[in-house]
């Protein structure tokens, strides 16, 4: 009986962090702001990426569509990185869909389709662990945009702040005027998200896409030279909002 009570208490405790997030942002989620999960799979040395990508594309993606996810994108890192990584971007319309997507064992079609993958022998597994970050879409762009036609390069940027208030002010900067300038100069955004769970907090993360690196460099220069950017970055309200930038270039798989 004591063991049963312990298990039940543990299960309740395990849901508390997300319950707190959901309660804190419940009014925001009601406004149609999506949740984004960004997964990073670090491949084992000489592990088969095909085993993993086949599972992600053909099994997991289809199961997540059945529970109602809005978008599912698969990326590899640009260049010959070591260890190699596979990135997955998933958008959820609400918190309930996110929670449901974490347990697909009630989906008989998924269980059957995943059987071969789940029976991979120890030592043949393609990756060791994966990391996830959970993001809440900005007010200024509450839903993910479809990538541009022939998008060949994606730029994932994470802005860390020295405090929660610094990130809040940077999010406001995007919502009020910076997203508009991004659109004007051709920094094609896929999403903007406030990191509510994951590494490097407090932070925000966003994803841009371009046809190629040449377009990317040209349009970033147009942004940096734009008078609206000069005005924005000089505003006292936005001082010291970014303490570090993490950037990775991705290509679609």
């Amino acid at each position: 009986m004591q063991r049963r009570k312990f298990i039940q208490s543990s299960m309740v405790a395990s849901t508390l962090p997300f319950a707190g997030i959901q309660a804190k942002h419940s009014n925001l989620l009601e406004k149609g702001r999506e949740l984004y999960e960004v997964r990073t799979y670090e491949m084992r040395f000489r592990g088969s990426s095909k085993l993993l990508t086949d599972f992600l594309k053909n099994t997991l993606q289809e199961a997540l569509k059945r529970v109602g996810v809005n978008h599912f994108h698969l990326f590899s890192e640009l260049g010959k990185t070591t260890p190699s990584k596979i990135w997955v971007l998933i958008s959820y319309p609400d918190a309930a869909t996110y929670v449901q997507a974490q347990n697909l064992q009630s989906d008989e079609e998924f269980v059957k389709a995943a059987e071969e993958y789940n029976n991979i022998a120890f030592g043949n597994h393609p990756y060791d662990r994966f990391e996830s970050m959970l993001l809440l879409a900005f007010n200024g762009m509450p839903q993910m945009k479809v990538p541009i036609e022939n998008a060949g390069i994606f730029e994932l940027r994470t802005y860390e702040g020295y405090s929660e208030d610094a990130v809040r002010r940077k999010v406001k900067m995007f919502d009020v005027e910076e997203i508009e300038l991004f659109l004007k100069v051709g920094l094609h955004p896929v999403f903007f998200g406030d990191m509510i769970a994951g590494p490097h907090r407090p932070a925000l993360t966003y994803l841009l896409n371009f046809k190629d690196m040449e377009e990317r460099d040209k349009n970033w220069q147009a942004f940096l030279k734009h008078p609206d950017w000069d005005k924005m970055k000089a505003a006292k309200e936005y001082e010291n909002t970014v303490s570090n930038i993490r950037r990775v270039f991705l290509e679609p798989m």
Side-chain angles (χ1 to χ4, degrees), residues 131-182:
E131 294 183 352
S132 283
M133 64 175 92
L134 189 63
L135 311 163
L136 176 63
F138 286 8
N139 272 318
M141 187 176 291
Q143 296 181 345
M144 185 177 292
K145 287 185 173 292
V146 176
I148 63 173
E149 187 177 358
N150 298 321
I153 183 171
F154 290 74
E155 183 174 359
L156 186 72
R157 297 170 69 93
T158 294
Y159 289 177
E160 300 173 9
Y162 76 94
S163 69
E164 291 87 344
D165 180 67
V167 173
R168 179 193 63 78
R169 288 184 287 116
K170 184 59 182 177
V171 170
K172 180 180 178 181
M173 185 178 182
F174 273 112
D175 279 343
V176 172
E177 46 195 331
E178 196 169 354
I179 291 177
E180 183 179 352
L181 182 55
F182 270 37

Side-chain angles (χ1 to χ4, degrees), residues 28-44:
L28 305 178
L29 294 173
E30 289 170 1
K31 295 179 181 178
R33 292 167 64 182
E34 294 178 318
L35 286 170
Y36 305 128
E37 182 184 6
V38 180
R39 297 187 184 183
T40 311
Y41 291 83
E42 186 171 288
M43 303 303 295
R44 290 178 64 241

Side-chain angles (χ1 to χ4, degrees), residues 148 155 181-188 208-226:
I148 63 173
E155 183 174 359
L181 182 55
F182 270 37
L183 295 171
K184 187 183 297 184
V185 299
L187 296 179
H188 316 294
L208 307 174
N209 67 127
F210 306 94
K211 291 182 179 179
D212 50 35
M213 191 66 78
E214 183 180 357
E215 184 196 21
R216 181 261 177 199
D217 292 345
K218 177 183 176 182
N219 293 359
W220 265 116
Q221 284 301 310
F223 173 84
L224 294 172
K225 294 176 180 178
H226 201 285

Side-chain angles (χ1 to χ4, degrees), residues 26-94:
S26 60
N27 64 319
L28 305 178
L29 294 173
E30 289 170 1
K31 295 179 181 178
R33 292 167 64 182
E34 294 178 318
L35 286 170
Y36 305 128
E37 182 184 6
V38 180
R39 297 187 184 183
T40 311
Y41 291 83
E42 186 171 288
M43 303 303 295
R44 290 178 64 241
F45 182 64
R46 293 179 178 171
S48 172
S49 60
K50 186 176 186 304
L51 284 173
L52 178 59
T53 56
D54 284 350
F55 168 75
L56 294 172
K57 283 183 177 181
N58 303 323
T59 304
L60 181 62
Q61 180 176 196
E62 294 306 311
L64 292 178
K65 285 181 180 179
R66 289 193 292 273
V67 301
V69 303
N70 291 337
H71 300 275
F72 185 98
H73 296 289
L74 202 60
F75 305 98
S76 61
E77 291 190 354
L78 194 64
K80 302 292 184 181
T81 58
T82 302
S84 63
K85 295 179 181 178
I86 292 176
W87 294 71
V88 183
L89 169 60
I90 308 166
S91 69
Y92 303 91
D94 50 47

